[in-house]
């Protein structure tokens, strides 16, 4: 004999939301793994040139998401089991975990919103550095090792993003460079497919995807925190306990 009436209804609602939360954790984990191994992002962010690694801010964020997804699945299971067993201890632990996760998510959301453009800016700076070195070594025919290294890095950028050049501010310089060197793929129109725009577009899509997932999870967590406290109080006040 357990809780009765409205409290029993809340018990099953909490179980349902916990199951959704557990599934959401699996989705977050799956999306994070997809972002980590996506050919477009992984091939760009694992590049190295002249002893410098491509910016790792995005990869670090993805690794955090992987950990969060795994923790969400564990906490979701804890909540489901606590609700079915009507355990105040498990529900209290579940509530504490939710509060910590919610606070971390809010902090991460604020930080991510404030620095949403930094990932693309860092990668654009890295691209510009490699591009300038490649142009200089190609036109002067000096430092062949550095020339080959830069060409290999740029090839990944250009073939992955199907772009060429550093932006539309100076398309004629890009076209001239494309004509004098083999930096850019001949199939790409440099005047309309600049790499700066492609990089911004790539990471803007990823950031919005992460933001939507985080918002959905936050709404579920608010319901779960409310239901877990109500159920915990209902169990405490139940004459059976």
């Amino acid at each position: 004999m357990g809780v009765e009436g409205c409290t029993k209804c809340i018990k099953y609602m909490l179980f349902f939301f916990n199951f959704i939360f557990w599934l959401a954790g699996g989705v977050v984990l799956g999306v994070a793994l997809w972002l980590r191994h996506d050919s477009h992002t992984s091939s760009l962010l694992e590049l190295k040139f002249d002893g410098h690694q491509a910016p790792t801010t995005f990869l670090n964020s993805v690794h955090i998401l992987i950990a969060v997804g795994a923790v969400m699945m564990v906490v979701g299971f804890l909540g489901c089991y606590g609700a079915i067993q009507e355990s105040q201890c498990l529900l209290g632990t579940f509530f504490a975990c939710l509060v910590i996760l919610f606070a971390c998510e809010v902090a991460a959301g604020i930080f991510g919103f404030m620095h949403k453009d930094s990932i693309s800016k860092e990668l654009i700076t890295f691209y510009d550095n490699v591009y300038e070195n490649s142009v200089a070594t190609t036109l002067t025919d000096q430092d062949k090792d550095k020339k080959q290294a830069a060409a290999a890095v740029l090839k990944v950028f250009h073939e992955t993003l199907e772009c060429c050049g550093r932006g539309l501010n100076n398309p004629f310089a890009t076209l001239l460079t494309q004509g004098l060197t083999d930096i850019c793929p001949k199939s790409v129109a440099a005047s309309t497919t600049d790499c700066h725009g492609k990089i911004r577009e790539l990471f803007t899509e990823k950031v919005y995807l992460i933001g939507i997932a985080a918002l959905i999870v936050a709404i579920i967590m608010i319901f779960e925190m409310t239901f877990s406290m109500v159920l915990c109080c209902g169990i405490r006040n139940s004459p059976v306990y």
Side-chain angles (χ1 to χ4, degrees):
M1 183 77 176
V3 293
E4 297 293 340
C6 291
T7 308
K8 188 172 185 178
C9 179
I10 289 173
K11 166 185 171 179
Y12 289 109
M13 288 180 68
L14 178 60
F15 178 85
F16 172 75
F17 274 102
N18 274 318
F19 181 70
I20 298 297
F21 186 73
W22 181 82
L23 289 178
V27 171
V28 169
L29 182 61
V31 169
L33 289 172
W34 169 70
L35 290 172
R36 175 64 183 84
H37 297 288
D38 179 50
S39 59
H40 284 77
T41 53
S42 60
S43 60
L44 297 179
L45 297 174
E46 292 174 357
L47 293 173
K48 290 183 180 180
F49 174 70
D50 200 21
H52 297 287
Q53 176 76 39
T56 58
T57 306
F58 183 79
L59 281 182
N60 292 339
S61 302
V62 169
H63 292 154
I64 293 173
L65 271 182
I66 292 173
V68 168
V71 171
M72 284 175 61
M73 294 189 73
V74 173
V75 172
F77 176 79
L78 180 68
C80 286
Y81 188 74
I84 292 299
Q85 295 296 318
E86 300 180 9
S87 170
Q88 293 185 63
C89 179
L90 288 175
L91 289 172
T93 304
F94 170 70
F95 179 82
C97 291
L98 280 183
V99 170
I100 294 171
L101 279 175
F102 187 78
C104 291
E105 185 175 344
V106 170
I110 294 172
F111 179 83
F113 180 78
M114 293 175 63
H115 298 85
K116 65 180 186 301
D117 297 324
S118 63
I119 297 171
S120 57
K121 286 179 180 178
E122 289 175 359
L123 196 59
I124 286 172
T125 301
F126 178 76
Y127 172 81
D128 286 349
N129 179 44
V130 179
Y131 188 89
E132 290 168 3
N133 276 277
S134 180
V135 171
T137 54
T138 300
L139 296 178
T140 59
D141 199 26
Q142 296 176 351
D143 200 344
K144 292 186 177 180
D145 290 339
K146 194 171 185 179
K147 173 184 174 181
Q148 291 177 352
V153 172
L154 288 177
K155 182 180 180 183
V156 175
F157 270 101
H158 295 155
E159 291 184 352
T160 301
L161 300 177
E162 297 182 349
C163 66
C164 178
R166 297 184 295 172
L168 295 175
N169 293 331
N170 194 2
F172 295 106
T174 303
L175 285 169
L176 179 63
T177 302
Q178 186 177 11
L180 295 176
T181 69
D182 58 353
I183 290 174
C184 299
K186 300 300 181 183
S187 59
V188 176
S191 59
T192 58
T193 52
D194 63 281
C195 288
H196 284 196
K198 286 284 190 174
I199 291 171
R200 292 191 191 97
E201 180 183 332
L202 174 66
F203 287 101
T204 298
E205 290 175 356
K206 308 296 186 188
V207 168
Y208 280 124
L209 180 63
I210 294 172
I212 292 171
L215 180 62
I216 293 172
V217 170
I219 293 172
I220 295 173
M221 288 171 70
I222 291 172
F223 278 105
E224 287 191 311
M225 285 189 286
T226 304
F227 289 151
S228 62
M229 274 294 94
V230 172
L231 180 58
C232 198
C233 292
I235 294 171
R236 186 180 303 153
N237 297 328
S238 175
V240 177
Y241 298 95

